[in-house]
Amino acid sequence: MNKKQRGLFLTAIATGTMLNPLNSSMISLALHAIQHEFSLSFATVSWLISSYYLASSIVVPIAGKIGDLIGRRKMLLIGLLLVAISAVGAPFAGTFLILLGMRLFQAVGSSSIYPAGMALVRTHIHEKQASALAILSIFTSSMSAFGPTAGGFLIDFAGWQSIFTVNAPFILLSFLLTWFAVPKDPKTTHYTFREFWKQLDSIGIILFAIGMSFSLYFLLSFEHGIHLVSLGIGIIFLAAFIVRELRAAYPFIDVRLLRSNKQLTLVYIQFILLNIFNYSLFFGLPSFFQDVLHYSLKTSGLMMIFLSGASTLVSFLMGRWIDRSGTSIPTIVGAVLMIGGTAALAVISQHLTLGNIGAVLIFLGISYGIGNVTLQAAMLDASPETIVGTSSGLFQTCRYLGSILSSVVLAIVFGSDLSLPGFRILMIVLVITGLAFLVTAIYSKQLEKEKAAV
């Protein structure tokens, strides 16, 4: 693959994979307008966010598995078509139920793109693979960071419908580039429907989907009350899923591999920890700035750019570093920055100023940018080629799980009242999270040494 082909290939993948973070972040600015148009309570309209997280968390590994069976390029194109349905249908939704249905099309489609894209990168880019992942990370991080700002301008100019229609040019560009610039899938086995259903492990998928749905519902509802029944049902179905996968001839998720492939399992644990850390800051700091430090909405938004901007900018440098030195050292450096940054915020909490907060947020943003790129590279390195789609899907599920767990952390720490003591407790919790991340990073490096010695 020459330089031009590589550029077109990565643009095709990047413009597709960025649709999920773009749409998960833009919707926050549209809730108010949608709530009033359909005369809804905030609790009802917020299902546009909750359902998206639920669907995405469950769909990504399933879509990855299907892509492993039918072809990753096909799966990426199917995902783009599903997002296109929502882009066309949502603006004309006559009821909230139809709009919610379009939002689910958007979630399923955009979630199908990521594992297919990661698998395509693993298959077709062999030189400077980490640099390629850094480019994808820049696209997705930028959309997460600046999606709300872009959404605000769009809604002000053309109404809430515009946050759906704005997907159209990105979908079209990604579809055309994928069609012409991404190599066709190798010929796969032609399954009968019954054989395909067996290879897909439909029973395992159903158990996984039910178990995850109830478990995630328990976590999403944590702020309003502990739903122990949901937790119990979730645990029962996930336990049944594990038993099923240990016995299945063609498991949906090879639990035995996760048990034997410690490197891959560690990557998943690290990614959950990284996203608990990041989203606790991303969701918690803006409210703290406004309610406790009494910053304006504009100032609070600008302060968050230090965090998201530093994360995006450091991604430019990460690819070359990982290509030269591997993933272990950058991961450890990122962990040290996580611990140091949150410890610094706890120490200076009595004397917080725009200047010292901004400086620390830059270091925390760098830590997330390092971890995000290195863990994607580590996941691809640790994943067998035949299941890289499923593995990438599980990786993305860990991102959603981390973001949901961060909301649980914030609900427990801040409760119903944001305060400076609560902020200090949050920083202590995040220092502990960073220490756990550091321990796993050091253990992962030790496993690499043992593997190299063998």
Side-chain angles (χ1 to χ4, degrees), residues 8-22:
L8 291 173
F9 176 90
L10 287 176
T11 304
I13 306 299
T15 49
T17 54
M18 76 180 197
L19 291 173
N20 190 276
L22 176 67

Side-chain angles (χ1 to χ4, degrees), residues 62 65-66 69 195-202 205 252:
I62 297 172
K65 176 71 173 183
I66 295 173
L69 292 175
E195 289 171 338
F196 175 77
W197 206 240
K198 184 178 179 181
Q199 287 276 344
L200 191 59
D201 184 21
S202 55
I205 285 176
F252 160 50

Side-chain angles (χ1 to χ4, degrees), residues 13-346:
I13 306 299
T15 49
T17 54
M18 76 180 197
L19 291 173
N20 190 276
L22 176 67
N23 287 291
S24 65
S25 60
M26 280 197 305
I27 192 69
S28 60
L29 273 295
L31 292 181
H32 181 75
I34 294 171
Q35 180 183 352
H36 283 273
E37 175 150 342
F38 292 99
S39 301
L40 305 168
S41 67
F42 181 79
T44 300
V45 77
S46 66
W47 272 101
L48 290 173
I49 294 177
S50 300
S51 63
Y52 192 91
Y53 277 124
L54 281 168
S56 296
S57 301
I58 294 165
V59 164
V60 277
I62 297 172
K65 176 71 173 183
I66 295 173
D68 289 339
L69 292 175
I70 69 171
R72 285 77 181 255
R73 180 176 177 270
K74 293 187 190 75
M75 198 65 225
L76 197 154
L77 292 171
I78 290 169
L80 289 168
L81 288 174
L82 290 174
V83 182
I85 290 172
S86 71
V88 174
F92 299 101
T95 66
F96 179 72
L97 192 60
I98 294 174
L99 180 61
L100 186 61
M102 291 296 105
R103 180 73 170 158
L104 289 174
F105 268 108
Q106 190 181 70
V108 172
S110 62
S111 300
S112 302
I113 295 168
Y114 178 84
M118 289 296 102
L120 287 167
V121 169
R122 166 72 181 272
T123 302
H124 297 293
I125 294 186
H126 304 291
E127 295 183 1
K128 299 181 178 179
Q129 191 177 87
S131 297
L133 292 174
I135 292 172
L136 300 185
S137 181
I138 290 165
F139 272 82
T140 55
S141 298
S142 298
M143 291 303 103
S144 294
F146 303 112
T149 304
F153 281 110
L154 284 168
I155 294 163
D156 187 57
F157 178 72
W160 64 262
Q161 294 85 349
S162 60
I163 67 165
F164 289 93
T165 54
V166 73
N167 286 277
F170 300 115
I171 296 168
L172 182 61
L173 177 61
S174 183
F175 192 93
L176 291 175
L177 286 175
T178 300
W179 190 268
F180 292 108
V182 174
K184 291 184 177 180
D185 295 316
K187 289 184 178 180
T188 55
T189 305
H190 292 285
Y191 301 109
T192 65
F193 182 78
R194 185 176 180 180
E195 289 171 338
F196 175 77
W197 206 240
K198 184 178 179 181
Q199 287 276 344
L200 191 59
D201 184 21
S202 55
I203 296 174
I205 285 176
I206 291 168
L207 292 172
F208 174 80
I210 295 173
M212 284 293 291
S213 295
F214 279 97
S215 299
L216 292 173
Y217 179 75
F218 164 75
L219 293 174
L220 286 168
S221 304
F222 199 90
E223 187 175 355
H224 308 290
I226 301 176
H227 294 185
L228 293 177
V229 173
S230 297
L231 176 62
I233 295 172
I235 290 173
I236 290 169
F237 275 93
L238 288 176
F241 164 74
I242 291 171
V243 172
R244 158 74 188 182
E245 298 306 275
L246 288 171
R247 298 176 179 176
Y250 303 101
F252 160 50
I253 296 172
D254 194 342
V255 177
R256 288 162 294 192
L257 174 65
L258 292 178
R259 189 170 55 186
S260 61
N261 191 337
K262 293 180 181 178
Q263 202 79 42
L264 183 58
T265 303
L266 272 176
V267 168
Y268 291 146
I269 294 170
Q270 288 174 315
F271 204 51
I272 291 171
L273 291 170
L274 180 68
N275 283 286
I276 291 172
F277 185 93
N278 179 66
Y279 283 104
S280 293
L281 295 171
F282 195 75
F283 293 144
L285 287 181
S287 296
F288 174 76
F289 290 154
Q290 293 172 73
D291 291 354
V292 179
L293 300 184
H294 307 296
Y295 294 163
S296 67
L297 176 62
K298 182 180 179 181
T299 301
S300 300
L302 289 172
M303 290 301 294
M304 294 306 293
I305 291 178
F306 286 108
L307 184 71
S308 54
S311 172
T312 302
L313 289 174
V314 79
S315 297
F316 283 100
L317 307 174
M318 287 311 302
R320 290 183 181 179
W321 187 9
I322 296 169
D323 285 329
R324 287 199 310 267
S325 65
T327 59
S328 294
I329 298 300
T331 307
I332 292 172
V333 170
V336 171
L337 289 174
M338 289 166 66
I339 297 165
T342 46
L345 283 177

Side-chain angles (χ1 to χ4, degrees), residues 411-426:
I412 294 172
V413 171
F414 286 140
S416 59
D417 181 37
L418 286 168
S419 63
L420 192 57
F423 174 77
R424 292 194 195 101
I425 293 171
L426 177 61

